[in-house]
Structure formats: structure tokens, C-alpha cells
Amino acid sequence: MIKRNFLKLLAGASLGFTTLSGMAFAQMADAITEPVTITFYNYNLATASAGADATRELLAKFEAENPNIKVETVGVPSNEIVTRLQADMAAGRQPDVAQLVFRDLYYIASDLGANALEDMTGADGYAALADGMLPRGLDLGKIDDKTYGLAYTFSTPILYYNADLFRQAGLDPDNPPKTWAEVKAAAEAIVAKTDAEGFFPGAYGPADGTFVYQAILMSNGGKVRDGNTLTFANPEGIEAVQMLRDMVDSGAHARLDPTNPSEAMAAGQLGMFLYTSAVQNSLSTASEGNWELRVAAMPSFGDKPTAPTNSGSALYVFSKDPVKQRASYELMKFLTSKYGYTIITSKIGYLPLRLDIVDDPEFLGPWTQSHPLIRPNLEQLSRLTPNVAFPGPNYRQAEAMMKESVVEAVLGDGDVTEVLSFAQDNAQSLMP
């Protein structure tokens, strides 16, 4: 069980709110009867993008349907939003709801004091919130059987490929690679017979987290950690990274700028790109009239089942005021509703965690019919594997050491086993 620090215990006790040690919790109000304003920290709003436009559209409709609730938005980039929350809390500005990535789950619950939704809403309230949502998605925001983050924007790694380059290389675009061995062979053919690069995974950049790398590792039977013991340099993990290194050595795996790998794919200069569905809309726009974009499921290691991990975010509630908690609950319920996911999927590109809307003519049905590229990503939800978060106060440093070692092992000159093992030993000292 996660333990909050002494000051948080005192704050919880004095205000009558829950703590992770099991103290009594004052549940949210039964209804909103007077005007209330809540803050919503959101990283989709931090840039001029389709995600920002879609989020504003959702919030406008929510406020129209809930005239007593005003949502004050705070747009912050995803890699800065936790720091902003810390600063605002220290300054006495209590946030109400925040969109945060899963990698920060333990820290958000233990140090930032996110509410356990089951305690805040009561059993019936939580059941109404979760009803119809994909259980595998809901499980990603849980610690010790309590939900701190409600799964929100979401995707798994998929293989984008350029059908025109496949044809130029003598490959069949109707039969894309299904295994890593086939990816290597196809990439080598593209390099040999066209002016383009073969393959690149969006696994190395500073904004990508580790979800693509974790998906590759776990698809080979590896694990990032076992409890508080790091295991990414175990034989399965070494074998997975060695596979990528072998592709680099053969020329199949391109040496692109890890900070912006989507650029080569968008320009039609990359044959295959393993990354999140969140870039599907932008790649579709870039390819239109220039080259043919297709997608396939992420490759496997032989006949081993793949373990696609999640990227994206969850919604967390920090408010300690029962009325604002109720308003926050209504906002979360709306954003993850059938209508909410219709907008999120069709206008941002994330997956709907309500699968019953995919072919429903009142919701996503017409869009899905005209956008079949989403199908491989939807199919992968049946094998969804959590993107493992790191516990402890040094979680980001430990995760960064792991990621940097993978970049060095794949794109550098060192021995893969030595690089990963050295990083694992050093990162272990940062674990709780």
C-alpha cells in the first residue's frame, strides 16, 4: 500500500478526506445545485493541434449541457504538466482535474495526492463511471485495487507502412510484415531498391516515454521490472534490443533523429514506422495525394503473441471539496462517454475505450467505415499490456537510465549486454 507523507496525513485528517492508509473519506456531493468552477489541467490544449480543437469542442458541449459547471483550462505540455501541478499546489492553488500520462501514476497517487475514485464516488458512482469501458484500460490506472487514474486518451503501437515504397521494392503491400524477421527483410529490400529508409520505431525520443520499447521487450517475454527489482537486462530483454541493433547493423533500421522520427514517414522517405495511433491523422493528411499510407499490427517475435502497451493519458481528480469533486466526476464521465470517445477517436486519433461505439451508426460507425486504418489498433486491445510505471521518488531518473541505455545499445557501438546490464545495475540503486 502506498503511504503519503506525514503532512498529507495531517491535511487529510483535518479536512476529513481519505488517505491511502484507509482513513474516512467525505464523498462527493450528490448533485450540483449552484454555479461552480473547476480547473482542468490538460496537455492536449498546450499546442495548436487537432487534439486541442477537439478538446475545446468537448468542453464547450459539456458546459452547454451542465450550465452550473464552468471549466477553467490550464494547457501545459505533457512533459511539464506534473512540474506545473507541483508548483501550483505549493503556491496554494489546488487543481481539480488533470490529464496526466500513466508513467507518473505512482507519484501522482503517493506524492500529489490524487483521489482514489472508488472512495470519492462511492461504489455506485464508480460503477456508473466505469460501465461499458474496456476493463483492460481501467486496470492501467489502478494501484492496490483502487483507481487513481481513469483511462482517457489511449493508443497502442502500430506499424505504419508506405505501400508505394513496398511496390517499388518488389514487396506485396497486401501482405505486410507480421514478424520482426519479416520487418528486417522488407526494410532491407526498401533500402536496396529505393531511395528511402527502411524502418524506424518511435522508441527513443524524449517525448515518447518508453511504451514502444516496453511493447517490444514484453512481446519477447521480457519484463521491465519485477516488483522493485529491475529486469530489463534479463535474457529476453537483451535479445529484444539485440534484434533492433542487428537491424541497425544491416541498414534495415534507419539512423534518424530520435526527436522527430515522424517527419521522415510523413515525407514518404521511410518504409515502416512503429508508433502510436495518435499520429495517424497527421500521417494520413501528409500522405494524401502523395503516397499510400497503410497500417498493420505490431510485429511479433516468431509465433510469440505480441504485448502491445498503452500510450496516452488518464484523468485524475485532486479536489478535496465535495462539490468540486462532483463537478470533476461529471466532467470525467462526459469526456469518457460514448459521445466523448466519438470525438476523441475521429478528431484526435486515440482509441475508443468503449468498443460498443465502433460500429454504432449513432457514434463512430460512419467514421470507422471510412477510416479502416483504425482496425489493427482496435484488434490489439485484446492483448493490451500495461506500460509499466516506476515506483519511488526517483522514478523518472530510473526510467530515463533504462531508456538511454536502450538508445545507446541500439544506435551506439557498445556491446548490447554490457550496456543494458550496466544501466540496470545503476538504475537499481534509485529504486525504493
Side-chain angles (χ1 to χ4, degrees), residues 130-150:
D131 183 43
M133 291 187 68
L134 185 74
R136 282 177 174 266
L138 292 171
D139 288 345
L140 298 173
K142 291 184 176 181
I143 302 174
D144 296 337
D145 297 322
K146 291 291 181 69
T147 306
Y148 293 89
L150 180 69

Side-chain angles (χ1 to χ4, degrees), residues 159 177-189 198-199 247 252 272 299:
L159 186 68
K178 298 178 179 61
T179 67
W180 283 110
E182 291 174 357
V183 168
K184 183 173 183 287
E188 289 173 347
F199 165 77
M247 290 179 67
M272 292 169 285

Side-chain angles (χ1 to χ4, degrees), residues 211-235:
F211 83 102
V212 172
Y213 159 65
Q214 287 198 29
I216 295 171
L217 168 72
M218 289 188 279
S219 292
N220 196 42
K223 295 174 65 177
V224 169
R225 62 178 175 84
D226 186 1
N228 289 341
T229 301
L230 296 177
T231 59
F232 62 85
N234 279 8

Side-chain angles (χ1 to χ4, degrees), residues 57-364:
E57 180 179 345
L58 284 169
L59 294 176
K61 186 171 178 62
F62 172 76
E63 289 184 334
E65 294 183 1
N66 297 269
N68 276 337
I69 304 175
K70 177 176 175 53
V71 181
E72 182 181 287
T73 60
V74 183
V76 189
S78 61
N79 60 341
E80 300 174 12
I81 196 166
V82 169
T83 302
R84 174 64 182 271
L85 284 169
Q86 290 174 310
D88 284 0
M89 287 177 173
R93 294 187 292 272
Q94 176 64 50
D96 297 310
V97 187
Q99 173 199 20
L100 304 166
V101 296
F102 285 97
R103 64 186 289 223
D104 297 316
L105 174 64
Y106 283 85
Y107 181 76
I108 293 164
S110 63
D111 285 58
L112 294 187
N115 299 334
L117 297 181
E118 291 88 346
D119 294 337
M120 186 187 86
T121 66
D124 291 343
Y126 180 77
L129 189 66
D131 183 43
M133 291 187 68
L134 185 74
R136 282 177 174 266
L138 292 171
D139 288 345
L140 298 173
K142 291 184 176 181
I143 302 174
D144 296 337
D145 297 322
K146 291 291 181 69
T147 306
Y148 293 89
L150 180 69
Y152 178 45
T153 57
F154 209 84
S155 75
T156 62
I158 54 174
L159 186 68
Y160 299 96
Y161 66 100
N162 185 321
D164 291 352
L165 290 177
F166 267 58
R167 296 185 188 98
Q168 293 174 32
L171 303 169
D172 181 4
D174 294 327
N175 186 29
K178 298 178 179 61
T179 67
W180 283 110
E182 291 174 357
V183 168
K184 183 173 183 287
E188 289 173 347
I190 290 170
V191 171
K193 298 179 181 180
T194 76
D195 294 328
E197 299 283 3
F199 165 77
F200 197 85
Y204 314 125
D208 302 326
T210 61
F211 83 102
V212 172
Y213 159 65
Q214 287 198 29
I216 295 171
L217 168 72
M218 289 188 279
S219 292
N220 196 42
K223 295 174 65 177
V224 169
R225 62 178 175 84
D226 186 1
N228 289 341
T229 301
L230 296 177
T231 59
F232 62 85
N234 279 8
E236 295 84 0
I238 292 170
E239 184 179 54
V241 174
Q242 185 66 58
M243 178 275 297
L244 294 172
R245 172 65 172 274
D246 291 344
M247 290 179 67
V248 170
D249 292 343
S250 76
H253 183 309
R255 289 182 177 273
L256 302 178
D257 178 0
T259 64
N260 193 17
S262 301
E263 189 174 272
M265 191 73 199
Q269 293 300 307
L270 180 64
M272 292 169 285
F273 181 42
L274 185 70
Y275 201 39
T276 171
S277 67
V279 300
Q280 185 169 301
N281 285 351
S282 63
L283 289 179
S284 295
T285 299
S287 65
E288 190 173 357
N290 299 309
W291 53 275
E292 184 183 353
L293 174 68
R294 296 196 189 183
V295 298
M298 70 171 294
S300 67
F301 288 86
D303 58 1
K304 295 179 182 179
T306 58
T309 58
N310 64 290
S311 70
S313 65
L315 298 173
Y316 298 81
V317 177
F318 297 92
S319 177
K320 307 308 177 189
D321 177 277
V323 175
K324 290 191 173 186
Q325 287 177 351
R326 181 75 203 195
S328 300
Y329 171 82
E330 296 297 341
L331 176 62
M332 288 196 303
K333 192 173 181 181
F334 176 83
L335 292 175
T336 59
S337 66
K338 292 183 177 183
Y339 172 80
Y341 275 120
T342 299
I343 299 299
I344 287 168
T345 300
S346 64
K347 296 190 176 182
I348 303 180
Y350 285 105
L351 296 176
L353 293 184
R354 295 184 179 278
L355 298 183
D356 56 346
I357 71 172
V358 172
D359 296 304
D360 189 328
E362 293 186 16
F363 294 100
L364 264 183

Side-chain angles (χ1 to χ4, degrees), residues 9-28:
L9 288 172
L10 286 180
S14 65
L15 295 173
F17 304 128
T18 189
T19 70
L20 290 172
S21 59
M23 298 174 67
F25 192 97
Q27 288 182 10
M28 65 184 186

